[in-house]
Amino acid sequence: MAGHLAKNPLLLLQPRRLCTAAASSSAAAGELAPSPAVKEIPRDDDLAEESRNRLVRDTCKLLELRGSWTPKLEAQLRHLLRVLSPPQVRAVLRAQAQTDARAAFEFFRWADRQWRYRHAPEVFDEMLSLLSRTRLHDPARRVMRLMMRRRMRRGTQQFAHLMLSYSRAGKLRSAMRVLQLMQKDGCAPDISICNVAVNVLVFAGRIDKALEFSDRMRRVGVEPDVVTYNCLIKGLCSVRRVVEALEMIGVMLQNGCPPDKITYYTVMGFLCKEKRVAEVRALLGRMRNDAGLFPDQVTYNMLIHVLAKHGHADEALEFLRESEGKRFRVDEVGYSAVVHSFCLNGRMAEAKEIVGEMISKECHPDVVTYSAVVDGFCRVGEIDQARKMMKHMYKNGCKPNIVTHTALLNGLCKAGKTSEAWELLNNSGEEWWTPSDITYSVVMHGFRREGKLKESCDVVAQMLQKGFFPTTVEINLLIHALCKEGKPAEAKDFMEQCQSKGCTINVINFTTVIHGFSRQGDLESALSLLDDLYLSNRHPDVVTYTVVVNALGKKGRLKEATELVKKMLNRGIVPTLVTYRTVIHRYCEKGTVEELLDLLDKMLARQELKSVYNQVIEKLCALGKINEAYSLLSKVLRTASQRDAQTCHILMESFLNRGLAVQSYNVACQMFQRNLIPDIKLCRKVDNQLTSKKQPAAGKLMVKFLERGLLKQEKLSST
């Protein structure tokens, strides 16, 4: 992409007309300023008022029925469309985009095709703006092309929306090509589109290209503003180039672009993550002396929260004390951040002390602070202290919420007291709190870890009665535990119960149960469950097939295993390396090499694996079936690679271990014929065994090495 920008950059060309948009210097990085040409477009509060209009609500209700669309409904929608004003159409688009941006675009297209109706320019702007928040770059490109075809006004703001759509989809090259499209359209670059381009490059991790782009901005008379520099500084910090970020602050001052607090906060945030407090203090001094920006309460709150978030509790507390010393008010949010950081580090004495300090200063801890302390005590296993803290909450007029109770139940479960946690959960109605799905999951996993699988299933049953659904991962963990204990039938019943209650069951859940039946040798149940997968419109994956094929091969039912592999291939499922290894192991184990080769040919037609015959020979050697392995040697020596040499050496070792030096000699000779040099130490062993048995081939291998000049070289290297 760098070459593309260098060969045909927009910014090296002179502007052909003035842009229609201007950027605000105080805007956040990458944010676009409204265009003067579109000031008449309603503001967000106006659109919110339009969304309450009866016509807008009726239109949205009709669009919600698009799944059961009829000509009558379409006629009603067409009638509503003709009386809607442009702001009302924009309100409909925005309402649709909240749930599905594609639905909003489909309505936009449908409306544009209607007779005696044409979208107003502000409707096009709204559609582009909505698409810029998604990855739907193709619809955004189509909207822009339609604007060009109808000769509607286009400014940098519209092109910026298209650029953002490409960027969110990960298409960096296409995003930067929007600048070429804008140039061809006769629109000159301004600071707003340049800031978007810089932000796109930074977001993609191309900080060097972003710096190069900012240099080219000056060549066409577009001076970077504070938004540009803030984007670049953020990108430099993200790649840990903080020294260059600090230098850029100096460049801003030299270029007459005074940095704002966001500039300094960006660098301070990175330094806080790295626990470089001394440099943070030095930067605070630079902010005051160079830019005339004095640290205020917002500055200290930012430092406290960033330090606490990354586990630097002592440093966060230090800035909290400094903030109080400067008469800035630290609220319960700042204290809670420090308390939470201490709790995560297991330093409960300091956390408890800060809570007491908050109460003494009449800065009453809220439920978030108390919940952090309760969770901290549970993390270190001090359940009694957690209970006392909850009583202390009631005493101070702060009622524990779901998070607090869930933290306590989690602590009980980790301490091996899941039965007590289950009892507290059942008594939640008396305590006037309502459990969530996470609360039930905590108790369910507690019983599972303790091996009480029946109780764990009971928790899931009650969870389903309350209208909560466990995730497929949670269901699979419980199914796996049941199968591990040799209860695949109970695992199947549990899975079917969850499915009947509306839980999402995927192929992995079926595969786990199938594996459980296979391990028990109940192949009929496994095959029946495999058929159920098709009936439920869930197609088995390659893992499922591999599990069943392995079980069939283990029982010697190779004919059924072959048919199952063929069925897998016919359904377009690609075999993996594990599938190949499973098939090779089971067929070699039974000695059915011919059937194996036929099946491998069909598998290789679907997915090529270069080392498949190497694996067959090595497996046969490991099972002591070296004659069958020797018969496949010609398939391996076709490529003459190092992997083939390794396989040949394994075969030679197998022959030597059984005193068959002549066969090992023959393997070495075939390697020489394929210009594949065997291991000289192994060949010495073969030659010694041939000599001891007075075989005619004794000494011939060494002659081959001498003819190639390898034996002399080997002797020199050994000396």
Side-chain angles (χ1 to χ4, degrees):
M1 192 200 72
H4 168 72
L5 289 177
K7 292 177 182 177
N8 201 353
L10 169 69
L11 296 178
L12 292 178
L13 301 176
Q14 293 298 326
R16 293 192 290 190
R17 66 178 175 87
L18 294 177
C19 292
T20 58
S24 172
S25 59
S26 60
E31 184 180 359
L32 295 176
S35 171
V38 293
K39 286 184 178 179
E40 66 275 5
I41 296 178
R43 298 186 303 272
D44 286 346
D45 51 353
D46 295 331
L47 282 181
E49 183 178 351
E50 290 290 353
S51 64
R52 293 188 289 270
N53 188 286
R54 182 179 60 83
L55 293 174
V56 174
R57 293 202 307 268
D58 291 345
T59 304
C60 291
K61 288 180 181 178
L62 285 174
L63 290 174
E64 290 174 2
L65 300 175
R66 60 182 177 271
S68 56
W69 200 249
T70 62
K72 182 179 178 181
L73 292 176
E74 186 174 1
Q76 295 177 8
L77 185 61
R78 191 181 298 112
H79 174 72
L80 285 172
L81 179 66
R82 290 173 183 170
V83 296
L84 288 175
S85 64
Q88 291 168 347
V89 176
R90 293 181 65 216
V92 172
L93 289 174
R94 184 168 295 189
Q96 291 298 303
Q98 288 179 356
T99 55
D100 187 0
R102 290 186 183 275
F105 178 66
E106 289 301 322
F107 170 69
F108 175 87
R109 290 183 60 204
W110 175 86
D112 193 61
R113 293 194 300 265
Q114 301 309 306
W115 183 57
R116 296 177 63 185
Y117 176 83
R118 278 294 178 267
H119 285 311
E122 54 264 34
V123 178
F124 279 88
D125 294 341
E126 182 67 25
M127 191 71 255
L128 280 173
S129 175
L130 294 173
L131 292 173
S132 69
R133 304 168 194 170
T134 69
R135 298 180 179 182
L136 304 177
H137 57 87
D138 189 61
R141 178 177 56 85
R142 294 167 69 178
V143 173
M144 180 62 76
R145 283 185 175 179
L146 188 58
M147 292 181 72
M148 292 179 177
R149 203 158 47 236
R150 295 187 181 171
R151 301 183 181 277
M152 292 183 175
R153 54 156 181 79
R154 297 171 301 280
T156 54
Q157 188 178 29
Q158 287 73 34
F159 288 102
H161 289 324
L162 180 60
M163 183 182 291
L164 287 173
S165 297
Y166 277 119
S167 174
R168 291 183 187 277
K171 296 183 175 294
L172 179 61
R173 185 181 295 273
S174 299
M176 300 307 294
R177 281 177 180 166
V178 173
L179 295 173
Q180 286 182 307
L181 180 64
M182 187 178 72
Q183 176 194 2
K184 292 178 181 179
D185 197 47
C187 182
D190 67 352
I191 188 63
S192 64
I193 191 71
C194 290
N195 284 343
V196 172
V198 170
N199 196 27
V200 165
L201 290 169
V202 169
F203 182 77
R206 307 295 295 273
I207 181 60
D208 290 327
K209 302 307 172 190
L211 292 169
E212 180 183 348
F213 190 93
S214 65
D215 291 336
R216 291 178 179 174
M217 289 169 58
R218 300 186 181 90
R219 300 178 190 176
V220 292
V222 181
E223 286 295 327
D225 62 357
V226 67
V227 177
T228 317
Y229 285 112
N230 285 349
C231 273
L232 295 173
I233 289 172
K234 180 181 179 181
L236 289 170
C237 290
S238 65
V239 294
R240 309 177 68 87
R241 291 161 61 176
V242 67
V243 175
E244 295 178 52
L246 291 171
E247 292 175 354
M248 186 163 288
I249 295 178
V251 172
M252 293 177 68
L253 294 169
Q254 293 175 4
N255 294 339
C257 179
D260 58 6
K261 287 188 177 180
I262 296 176
T263 312
Y264 290 99
Y265 291 171
T266 304
V267 184
M268 286 180 190
F270 172 80
L271 294 174
C272 288
K273 293 177 186 178
E274 299 291 318
K275 200 178 176 180
R276 295 158 67 172
V277 179
E279 295 178 58
V280 171
R281 294 193 177 281
L283 193 57
L284 284 172
R286 285 184 58 180
M287 183 175 75
R288 181 176 55 253
N289 299 329
D290 298 344
L293 300 173
F294 292 89
D296 55 7
Q297 184 174 343
V298 176
T299 308
Y300 281 101
N301 284 343
M302 184 275 298
L303 295 173
I304 292 168
H305 282 279
V306 175
L307 286 167
K309 180 181 178 181
H310 291 88
H312 310 314
D314 291 319
E315 290 75 13
L317 183 60
E318 182 181 343
F319 277 105
L320 188 145
R321 301 296 186 211
E322 184 177 329
S323 176
E324 290 178 329
K326 293 186 176 181
R327 303 295 180 90
F328 292 131
R329 181 182 178 275
V330 182
D331 57 7
E332 62 272 8
V333 178
Y335 278 108
S336 296
V338 180
V339 169
H340 185 64
S341 184
F342 276 122
C343 292
L344 288 178
N345 294 330
R347 299 166 62 180
M348 299 311 302
E350 291 93 332
K352 194 173 179 181
E353 182 180 348
I354 294 176
V355 173
E357 180 183 334
M358 292 176 65
I359 297 173
S360 65
K361 292 181 178 179
E362 296 186 354
C363 179
H364 301 290
D366 57 7
V367 67
V368 177
T369 311
Y370 281 117
S371 298
V373 178
V374 170
D375 182 60
F377 278 123
C378 291
R379 284 174 181 269
V380 297
E382 298 182 13
I383 307 299
D384 294 334
Q385 291 293 331
R387 292 179 186 273
K388 289 180 181 179
M389 184 57 65
M390 292 186 68
K391 293 179 180 178
H392 190 67
M393 290 179 67
Y394 283 110
K395 189 183 296 184
N396 286 276
C398 184
K399 182 182 177 182
N401 61 7
I402 298 175
V403 178
T404 319
H405 286 284
T406 303
L408 178 62
L409 296 182
N410 190 33
L412 289 169
C413 292
K414 288 184 176 180
K417 301 178 181 179
T418 309
S419 299
E420 186 178 349
W422 180 229
E423 184 178 352
L424 290 175
L425 180 60
N426 290 326
N427 295 332
S428 59
E430 300 176 5
E431 299 289 336
W432 294 93
W433 66 280
T434 304
S436 65
D437 54 344
I438 299 176
T439 313
Y440 281 103
S441 297
V442 164
V443 180
M444 184 263 286
H445 288 303
F447 278 128
R448 181 182 59 81
R449 286 192 295 266
E450 293 178 13
K452 300 177 180 179
L453 301 182
K454 183 180 181 303
E455 290 83 352
S456 187
C457 292
D458 293 339
V459 174
V460 174
Q462 183 171 330
M463 186 178 180
L464 294 171
Q465 289 178 359
K466 298 291 184 180
F468 299 119
F469 297 98
T471 64
T472 54
V473 176
E474 292 171 339
I475 293 173
N476 203 64
L477 287 171
L478 193 49
I479 290 174
H480 179 72
L482 288 167
C483 292
K484 194 174 181 180
E485 286 198 355
K487 301 175 181 178
E490 295 183 21
K492 180 185 176 183
D493 294 339
F494 171 73
M495 183 181 68
E496 291 175 347
Q497 178 189 0
C498 292
Q499 187 175 7
S500 64
K501 296 292 184 179
C503 295
T504 302
I505 303 297
N506 59 15
V507 176
I508 298 176
N509 303 135
F510 276 91
T511 303
T512 306
V513 180
I514 290 172
H515 188 57
F517 280 121
S518 301
R519 289 179 62 183
Q520 269 202 334
D522 190 357
L523 296 181
E524 302 306 324
S525 298
L527 291 170
S528 174
L529 203 56
L530 187 62
D531 293 334
D532 291 343
L533 264 173
Y534 286 107
L535 295 176
S536 60
N537 201 24
R538 295 181 181 88
H539 300 292
D541 57 6
V542 65
V543 178
T544 314
Y545 279 107
T546 304
V547 166
V548 181
V549 168
N550 183 49
L552 289 170
K554 192 174 182 180
K555 290 292 183 178
R557 298 165 63 174
L558 297 181
K559 185 176 180 181
E560 296 177 65
T562 302
E563 293 300 321
L564 192 59
V565 173
K566 291 179 180 179
K567 185 185 293 185
M568 178 189 76
L569 297 174
N570 291 334
R571 295 183 184 276
I573 299 176
V574 179
T576 63
L577 183 61
V578 177
T579 312
Y580 275 106
R581 288 176 177 173
T582 301
V583 170
I584 290 170
H585 176 74
R586 293 307 175 191
Y587 280 78
C588 290
E589 189 178 39
K590 302 301 179 182
T592 55
V593 180
E594 293 298 328
E595 292 84 347
L596 173 62
L597 295 178
D598 292 339
L599 186 57
L600 288 178
D601 288 339
K602 293 181 173 61
M603 293 173 67
L604 288 170
R606 176 68 62 179
Q607 177 66 33
E608 185 180 359
L609 184 65
K610 294 181 179 179
S611 64
V612 61
Y613 292 110
N614 300 78
Q615 294 182 34
V616 175
I617 293 175
E618 292 168 9
K619 178 59 67 175
L620 288 171
C621 290
L623 295 173
K625 300 174 181 180
I626 52 178
N627 291 327
E628 291 87 343
Y630 182 74
S631 64
L632 299 175
L633 187 61
S634 59
K635 291 182 175 292
V636 167
L637 290 176
R638 289 174 181 172
T639 57
S641 64
Q642 289 297 320
R643 181 75 169 85
D644 297 338
Q646 179 185 352
T647 304
C648 292
H649 292 156
I650 292 173
L651 184 57
M652 290 173 66
E653 288 277 7
S654 300
F655 279 125
L656 280 178
N657 293 336
R658 287 163 178 77
L660 303 174
V662 176
Q663 287 84 342
S664 184
Y665 166 79
N666 292 334
V667 174
C669 289
Q670 291 190 46
M671 291 179 69
F672 276 116
Q673 291 174 4
R674 297 287 183 175
N675 291 325
L676 194 63
I677 307 302
D679 182 61
I680 192 167
K681 294 181 179 178
L682 183 58
C683 289
R684 286 185 185 279
K685 292 181 181 179
V686 174
D687 193 62
N688 291 337
Q689 197 171 114
L690 290 171
T691 303
S692 63
K693 293 183 178 181
K694 299 180 180 179
Q695 294 289 340
K700 291 185 178 180
L701 281 179
M702 296 300 105
V703 172
K704 292 181 181 294
F705 279 103
L706 283 171
E707 290 174 349
R708 288 166 174 78
L710 297 173
L711 187 61
K712 183 178 180 181
Q713 182 180 358
E714 189 268 340
K715 286 182 178 180
L716 291 173
S717 60
S718 63
T719 57

